[in-house]
Amino acid sequence: MLRITPDHPHPLFDIAATRRLEQAATATLPPHTLMQRAGLATARLALALAPHARTVWIACGPGNNGGDGLEAAAQLQRWGKQPVVTWLGDEARAPADSLAALARARQAGVVLATAPPTDLTRQDLCIDALLGIGSTRAPEGRMAEWIARFSRGAAPVLAVDVPSGMNADTGTFATNSIAESSRSIRDSDGFNAQHTLSLLSLKPGLFTAHGRDAAGQVWFHDLGVDSAAQTPAAVLQGPPLDGPRAHATHKGSYGDVAVIGGAPGMAGAALLAASAALHGGAGRVFVALLDPQAMAVDTSQPELMLRRATSLDLASMTAVCGCGGGDAVRHLLPKVFSTAAHAVIDADALNSIATDTQLQTLLRARTGRDGGARATVLTPHPLEAARLLGASAAQVQADRLGAARQLVERFGCVVVLKGSGTVIAAPGQIAAINPTGNARLATAGTGDVLAGMIGARLAAGRPAFQAACEAVYQHGLAADRWPEDRALTAGELAAAAGH
């Protein structure tokens, strides 16, 4: 059994691939083997999480997820515990595996309760075995009541495979199939499990959208089944493999970044991106502020070289374009698309593209020119992605992996779809989901910082997909390492993310 942390990459399999794994394993194993293994793994983790629990409530649904819970109950009963088991199944209609699990639970001495316990404490444990990856409808009746009780209760919750009601592919909930980004798990009638034991495969939905909040700490057990024959839907990325810089290098070895943005009243966005590129290791950083009254030098960061946008030789530079650019950046995008060696397109530049078909054509032409050597990375948040796709932010959030892939298909670029569980997608690549970051990043300017960090890695010669993945990981890691008693500002993030 593995505790999933950001320290290692892991393949993520969608529902269809997980079903294929299950079917292939079932065909070669004795009957009910997978469910017995799932129950044993669940019981072991339950004991590890709550070794002194006076009461373990196992809420079992009518299907095979409930069967996993019944198997776990049988194991706990044999080990001297007396789990309280509530089952929503009907023996006349239950799947064969679940009926076999019910029989083994009864043989072990498990007695089904008519109602959940009412006096659970923080020392006790709830096991959610109500719904697995096959659920498509919103929980109703007693099941919905029990899910609400998980949320309100004092006892920690261990979800079996996925938190009940969650779509394993998307991280959204059946109660809110097109999840509003502004709504919480509790608002959408889901709940936060402190722990989730993902069985057979790791699922993408556990790590993006509402899934990160819902799943809590994710654990994994493969049930003894090798997944190598299946193609992952995505990869949960691990840390960058950065090595030390060679001594015999100079500033030219790490490239030039040109940040273009900072329309009147928004110079800070461009300066944040430039600061991030500087701390991210770029050899030189130029800043073209689009405010005619802008300062000629930033005395707090004299390393930044302020220039007029028309004077920049973008053919040898990585352009980070759009940070605080307002509508003024629109007129510079044709030059960026046609001449910049590499480009990171963010914020107002993305909004300009979304409303201008000519810019869209130029962007697609750029990605097909020079055999794709001119790397381009788009960094939308969900609303910007929605504008580019002609959709709503809610639709983007309902399938973040799918939305990122649509953007890749439409524009031929690397796409960084920001948010909880940032998705990085690229032509010909298995998409990556980033495991780092937290709500401290929900403050103005952190997206500008990320754009600058990606720009620095592109300027240093990283392939675009690698540059994006590494920068996103480091950006989130800086927030994860930030002291809990201090607010994180974008300016401090720019400095911290370079370390």
Side-chain angles (χ1 to χ4, degrees), residues 14-403:
D14 60 20
I15 294 172
T18 301
R19 291 294 192 210
R20 289 193 293 270
L21 281 173
E22 184 178 21
Q23 291 164 5
T26 300
T28 60
L29 292 170
H32 319 309
T33 297
L34 284 183
M35 187 168 286
Q36 288 176 291
R37 291 177 180 177
L40 178 59
T42 301
R44 285 176 171 169
L45 183 55
L47 275 186
L49 295 175
H52 305 298
R54 179 179 53 84
T55 302
V56 177
W57 170 33
I58 307 178
C60 298
N64 285 334
N65 196 248
D68 295 341
L70 291 167
E71 289 285 1
Q75 294 291 348
L76 290 171
Q77 187 80 24
R78 294 187 190 104
W79 297 340
K81 297 290 184 179
Q82 292 184 322
V84 177
V85 179
T86 54
W87 185 52
L88 292 175
D90 179 347
E91 292 188 52
R93 295 185 295 177
D97 277 356
S98 292
L99 283 176
L102 178 63
R104 278 189 290 274
R106 285 172 169 161
Q107 289 167 5
V110 174
V111 177
L112 299 185
T114 57
T118 58
D119 57 348
L120 295 177
T121 69
R122 293 184 182 277
Q123 194 175 10
D124 297 321
L125 182 69
C126 301
I127 297 179
D128 164 31
L130 291 170
L131 293 172
I133 63 173
S135 66
T136 56
R137 296 192 307 171
E140 299 174 341
R142 284 191 297 165
M143 184 180 292
E145 292 173 8
W146 294 356
I147 289 174
R149 186 169 293 194
F150 292 152
S151 298
R152 296 193 302 264
V157 179
L158 167 60
V160 179
D161 210 18
V162 295
S164 285
M166 194 196 84
N167 184 307
D169 287 349
T170 65
T172 58
F173 277 80
T175 49
N176 189 18
S177 58
I178 300 180
E180 295 288 352
S181 60
S182 61
R183 297 185 67 187
S184 71
I185 295 295
R186 294 183 188 276
D187 287 339
S188 60
D189 296 327
F191 72 95
N192 291 40
Q194 286 86 349
H195 299 271
T196 297
L197 174 58
S198 189
L199 298 167
L200 199 62
S201 70
L202 282 172
K203 288 81 178 174
L206 296 170
F207 303 100
T208 195
H210 287 314
R212 290 187 72 196
D213 287 315
Q217 173 60 58
V218 177
W219 303 76
F220 172 58
H221 199 297
D222 64 8
L223 305 183
V225 176
D226 185 1
S227 61
Q230 297 297 324
T231 300
V235 173
L236 186 70
Q237 69 179 79
L241 300 176
D242 285 336
R245 288 185 167 189
H247 290 293
T249 55
H250 51 81
K251 62 188 177 186
S253 305
Y254 303 105
D256 293 344
V257 172
V259 178
I260 304 171
M266 295 183 286
L271 293 173
L272 284 168
S275 179
L278 189 68
H279 287 95
R284 295 189 298 177
V285 180
F286 298 84
V287 185
L289 296 176
L290 304 182
D291 182 352
Q293 307 302 317
M295 57 189 175
V297 63
D298 181 356
T299 56
S300 66
Q301 298 182 99
E303 303 91 344
L304 302 179
M305 293 172 278
L306 276 68
R307 298 286 192 274
R308 291 187 179 276
T310 54
S311 71
L312 295 173
D313 180 14
L314 295 179
S316 60
M317 294 178 169
T318 295
V320 176
C321 193
C323 305
D327 193 57
V329 77
R330 179 189 303 269
H331 309 292
L332 296 169
L333 289 175
K335 178 183 178 182
V336 171
F337 292 160
S338 62
T339 62
H342 308 301
V344 181
I345 309 300
D346 187 46
D348 291 319
L350 294 171
N351 293 329
S352 295
I353 294 166
T355 59
D356 190 322
T357 56
Q358 184 177 5
L359 288 177
Q360 294 171 21
T361 300
L362 291 173
L363 177 58
R364 284 190 288 266
R366 170 184 169 81
T367 58
R369 194 162 47 240
D370 301 329
R374 295 174 180 265
T376 308
V377 181
L378 309 183
T379 57
H381 57 53
L383 182 56
E384 290 160 350
R387 290 167 180 156
L388 289 167
L389 291 172
S392 69
Q395 289 170 318
V396 169
Q397 291 292 77
D399 185 1
R400 290 171 51 76
L401 268 171

Side-chain angles (χ1 to χ4, degrees), residues 2-10 207 217-218 236-239 435 473:
L2 290 175
R3 180 176 184 265
I4 303 303
T5 67
D7 301 329
H8 299 282
H10 297 280
F207 303 100
Q217 173 60 58
V218 177
L236 186 70
Q237 69 179 79
Y473 186 99

